[in-house]
C-alpha cells in the first residue's frame, strides 16, 4: 500500500510505537511517505536512517522558540499546550500539497500533538472524496492520564501542570474523539475513557496495542544478580518519577528489612533531580542516567518492578522486561491494559507492603522467578510482536481504503 504518515515528532526507538510500526510496515513491503519534525542532530540522523530504508521524507526543523510560541498561542486560545507544540506552517503547506496531488491508501496521523495536522488532512481528503482513508492514532487518552496525575503524581508537573491542562485537554479530546473515520488507542481502558468523554459508544475507536521487538529485547547469557530490582523508563516523565519514588521510599524499606543487600537500579534517560538525590543518599540505589542499551540492566536484574500508581495505555517497561526473560512484579495499573493472568505471566499486587512481599517472593524463589520469566517471554512473543500488530493495522487501512469491505462486514456480524 501507498501510505502517508504524519508525525509531530521524529520516530526513534524511544518513541516506541511509531518507530517500530514504521519498521514493520517497511519490512512488509509498503511504500511510506513520512512528514515529520526534527529538533536535534540526533533526530536528523534517525531520519536519515529511515530514508536509507526507502522512506520518502518531508521534514522541517522545529526550534525551541517556535515550540514555545506555539504553546503560548494554544494557551491564549484555551487549547491544551500539547495541541500547539508541534505546529509548523511550512510542514502543513507541504502536507496539504501532497494530499492534493497524490492518492494514498491510508493517511496516518499520530497523537494529540498531531491533531491539527489530522484536521488539515480531514478537510483536504473530504474535498477529494477520500475521507475514509484517514486514521488518527491518539495513542492514549491524555485526559485520562491527566486525571490520574492531578490526584496521584509526586512531581510538580504531574500534579500542578496537569491540573491546569486537564479541563482544556478534556474539551479538546471531546471535540476530536469520534470525529475521524478511524481513531486508534493502545488499550480498552483508553477506548472506554473516550466513550465516557463522548457520552456514547464509539465503534470507530479501535484498540491497536503496543508491541515489543522480541528479537532485540531477548534473554541473554549473563547471570542474574542475587538481589537486584530494576525500574526502567524515561525518568523525567511524571508518572515514572512518581513510580520510582514510590518504589524506593515506600516499597524498598520493607524489602531492605529482610534483604538489606538488595539494590535498586533506576535505568533511563533524564532522571529528575529528586531521583538523582535518592542515588546520592543511598549506595543501594543506582540511578544510571541515559544508557546506550537498556537490555543489560533488564537481563541482569533479579526482578523488574513496574509499580506505577497511574498511567494510560500499555506500559512498555513491562513488555521489554518480559521479552528479556525477567520476572515482573507490577501494580494493577501496569497490568490493566495487558491480557495477562496474574500469577502466571507477572505478579500483580497493590499496596506498598504487599508489593514488597511480592518482590521478596521472587528474590528468594528461583523456581518462581524462572516460571515468571518463561511465561512472560512466551506471552509477549505471542501477543505483542510488532509484525502481528502491523498486520492488524494493515486490515484497518484496507477497510478505510475501501478494500475488503464485504469481508470486514461479514467478519464482524
Amino acid at each position: 500500500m501507498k501510505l502517508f504518515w504524519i508525525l509531530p515528532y521524529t520516530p526513534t526507538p524511544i518513541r516506541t510505537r511509531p518507530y517500530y510500526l514504521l519498521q514493520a510496515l517497511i519490512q512488509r513491503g509498503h511504500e511510506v511517505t513520512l512528514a515529520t519534525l526534527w529538533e536535534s542532530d540526533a533526530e536528523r540522523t534517525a531520519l536519515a536512517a529511515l530514508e536509507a530504508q526507502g522512506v520518502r521524507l518531508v521534514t522541517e526543523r522545529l526550534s525551541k522558540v517556535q515550540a514555545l510560541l506555539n504553546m503560548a498561542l494554544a494557551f491564549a486560545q484555551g487549547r491544551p499546550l500539547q495541541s500547539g507544540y508541534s505546529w509548523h506552517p511550512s510542514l502543513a503547506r507541504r502536507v496539504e500539497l501532497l494530499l492534493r496531488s497524490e492518492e494514498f491508501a491510508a493517511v496516518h496521523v499520530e497523537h494529540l500533538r498531531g491533531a491539527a495536522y489530522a484536521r488539515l488532512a480531514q478537510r483536504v481528503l473530504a474535498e477529494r472524496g477520500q475521507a475514509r482513508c484517514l486514521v488518527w492514532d491518539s495513542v492514549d487518552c491524555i485526559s485520562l492520564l491527566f486525571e490520574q496525575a492531578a490526584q496521584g503524581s509526586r512531581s510538580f508537573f504531574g500534579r500542578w501542570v496537569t491540573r491546569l491542562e486537564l479541563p482544556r485537554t478534556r474539551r479538546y479530546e471531546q471535540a476530536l474523539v469520534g470525529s475521524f473515520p478511524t481513531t486508534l488507542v493502545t488499550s480498552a481502558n483508553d477506548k472506554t475513557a473516550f466513550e465516557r468523554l463522548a457520552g456514547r459508544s464509539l465503534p470507530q475507536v479501535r484498540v491497536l496495542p503496543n508491541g515489543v521487538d522480541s528479537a532485540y529485547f531477548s534473554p541473554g547469557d549473563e547471570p542474574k544478580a542475587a538481589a537486584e530490582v530494576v525500574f526502567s523508563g524515561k525518568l523525567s516523565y511524571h508518572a515514572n518519577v512518581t513510580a520510582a519514588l514510590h518504589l524506593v521510599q515506600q516499597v524498598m524499606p520493607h524489602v531492605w528489612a529482610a534483604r538489606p543487600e538488595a539494590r535498586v537500579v533506576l535505568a533511563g534517560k533524564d532522571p529528575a533531580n529528586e531521583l538523582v538525590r535518592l542515588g546520592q543518599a543511598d549506595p543501594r540505589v543506582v540511578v544510571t542516567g541515559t544508557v546506550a542499551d537498556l537490555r543489560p540492566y533488564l537481563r541482569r536484574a533479579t526482578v523488574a518492578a513496574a509499580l506505577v500508581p497511574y498511567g494510560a495505555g500499555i506500559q512498555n517497561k513491562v513488555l521489554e522486561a518480559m521479552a528479556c526473560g525477567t520476572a515482573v512484579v507490577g501494580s494493577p495499573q501496569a497490568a490493566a491494559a495487558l491480557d495477562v493472568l496474574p500469577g502466571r505471566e507477572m505478579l500483580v499486587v497493590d499496596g506498598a507492603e504487599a508489593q514488597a512481599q511480592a518482590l521478596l517472593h521472587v528474590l528468594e524463589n528461583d523456581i518462581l522467578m524462572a516460571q515468571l520469566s518463561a511465561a512472560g517471554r512466551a506471552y509477549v512473543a505471542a501477543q505483542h510482536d510488532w509484525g502481528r500488530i502491523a498486520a492488524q493495522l494493515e486490515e484497518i487501512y484496507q477497510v478505510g481504503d475501501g478494500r475488503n469491505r464485504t469481508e470486514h462486514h461479514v467478519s464482524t456480524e
Side-chain angles (χ1 to χ4, degrees):
M1 283 183 282
K2 185 177 179 180
L3 306 175
F4 189 15
W5 269 50
I6 305 168
L7 297 178
Y9 33 58
T10 295
T12 67
I14 292 174
R15 296 183 178 117
T16 301
R17 185 174 176 87
Y19 179 81
Y20 284 107
L21 277 176
L22 277 174
Q23 293 293 323
L25 291 170
I26 294 165
Q27 291 167 12
R28 295 170 73 86
H30 300 295
E31 179 185 343
V32 180
T33 297
L34 171 63
T36 192
L37 300 167
W38 59 272
E39 299 184 62
S40 67
D41 289 340
E43 291 185 349
R44 291 187 76 182
T45 300
L47 289 172
L50 283 172
E51 189 172 34
Q53 292 178 268
V55 175
R56 179 172 60 156
L57 296 179
V58 181
T59 67
E60 295 285 349
R61 176 176 177 265
L62 179 66
S63 68
K64 293 297 183 185
V65 171
Q66 181 66 58
L68 288 170
L69 290 173
N70 286 345
M71 289 192 291
L73 179 60
F75 184 83
Q77 294 175 340
R79 294 184 288 115
L81 300 181
Q82 287 197 64
S83 70
Y85 184 95
S86 298
W87 181 251
H88 197 294
S90 294
L91 185 67
R93 286 192 293 269
R94 296 174 69 186
V95 164
E96 181 171 359
L97 180 61
L98 271 175
L99 290 172
R100 292 193 183 280
S101 60
E102 299 184 29
E103 290 191 10
F104 298 92
V107 178
H108 183 122
V109 188
E110 184 171 289
H111 204 264
L112 188 70
R113 289 190 181 186
Y117 296 104
R119 288 295 199 200
L120 168 64
Q122 183 180 42
R123 174 173 56 80
V124 176
L125 292 170
E127 291 172 5
R128 303 194 68 195
Q130 299 168 355
R132 281 180 59 88
C133 75
L134 177 63
V135 174
W136 178 52
D137 186 359
S138 70
V139 185
D140 303 323
C141 175
I142 304 299
S143 57
L144 173 64
L145 176 65
F146 283 2
E147 285 171 8
Q148 299 171 73
Q151 297 300 317
S153 180
R154 294 178 62 182
S155 75
F156 174 82
F157 178 92
R159 184 176 291 273
W160 298 109
V161 177
T162 57
R163 286 184 179 182
L164 173 68
E165 283 288 277
L166 179 54
R168 298 163 175 264
T169 305
R170 275 200 190 115
R171 290 193 300 269
Y172 198 72
E173 286 189 322
Q174 190 174 42
L176 288 171
V177 67
S179 66
F180 299 112
T182 302
T183 292
L184 304 180
V185 291
T186 58
S187 78
N189 290 341
D190 294 276
K191 176 180 169 69
T192 299
F194 272 146
E195 290 179 332
R196 189 167 61 245
L197 272 180
R200 66 183 190 279
S201 175
L202 295 170
Q204 67 270 50
V205 177
R206 303 279 299 275
V207 176
L208 186 77
N210 272 354
V212 64
D213 185 345
S214 55
Y216 180 81
F217 288 99
S218 59
D221 297 328
E222 52 265 68
K224 290 287 187 183
E228 187 168 290
V229 179
V230 67
F231 177 86
S232 60
K234 185 179 179 183
L235 295 179
S236 59
Y237 175 52
H238 58 88
N240 285 338
V241 172
T242 299
L245 290 171
H246 170 75
L247 171 63
V248 175
Q249 296 178 338
Q250 306 299 320
V251 177
M252 288 306 298
H254 299 290
V255 175
W256 284 323
R259 298 288 297 269
E261 80 284 10
R263 294 203 321 161
V264 178
V265 177
L266 306 180
K269 65 176 297 188
D270 303 330
N273 290 335
E274 52 263 57
L275 300 184
V276 173
R277 287 194 290 270
L278 290 178
Q280 294 169 341
D282 191 330
R284 296 173 298 184
V285 180
V286 178
V287 183
T288 67
T290 300
V291 296
D293 190 345
L294 185 61
R295 292 173 297 175
Y297 298 92
L298 295 176
R299 290 166 175 166
R300 186 179 62 235
T302 323
V303 59
L307 306 178
V308 293
Y310 65 88
I314 287 179
Q315 298 292 320
N316 289 325
K317 59 176 60 66
V318 174
L319 301 182
E320 292 167 357
M322 284 182 171
C324 284
T326 300
V328 177
V329 173
S331 62
Q333 293 85 350
L338 302 175
D339 188 22
V340 295
L341 181 63
R344 184 175 66 187
E345 287 90 5
M346 64 185 291
L347 301 184
V348 181
V349 192
D350 200 11
E353 290 190 32
Q355 290 165 348
Q357 290 305 311
L359 290 174
L360 283 168
H361 197 26
V362 177
L363 292 175
E364 297 172 350
N365 189 327
D366 289 344
I367 294 176
L368 174 62
M369 182 178 68
Q371 290 173 340
L372 291 170
S373 170
R377 170 72 186 177
Y379 167 76
V380 295
Q383 299 296 325
H384 291 277
D385 176 75
W386 281 116
R388 174 190 175 108
I389 294 168
Q392 296 175 38
L393 183 57
E394 286 173 346
E395 294 179 2
I396 292 168
Y397 288 161
Q398 288 166 354
V399 172
D401 190 35
R403 297 180 238 179
N404 296 337
R405 290 185 189 173
T406 301
E407 292 86 346
H408 173 73
H409 288 312
V410 169
S411 68
T412 57
E413 285 177 356

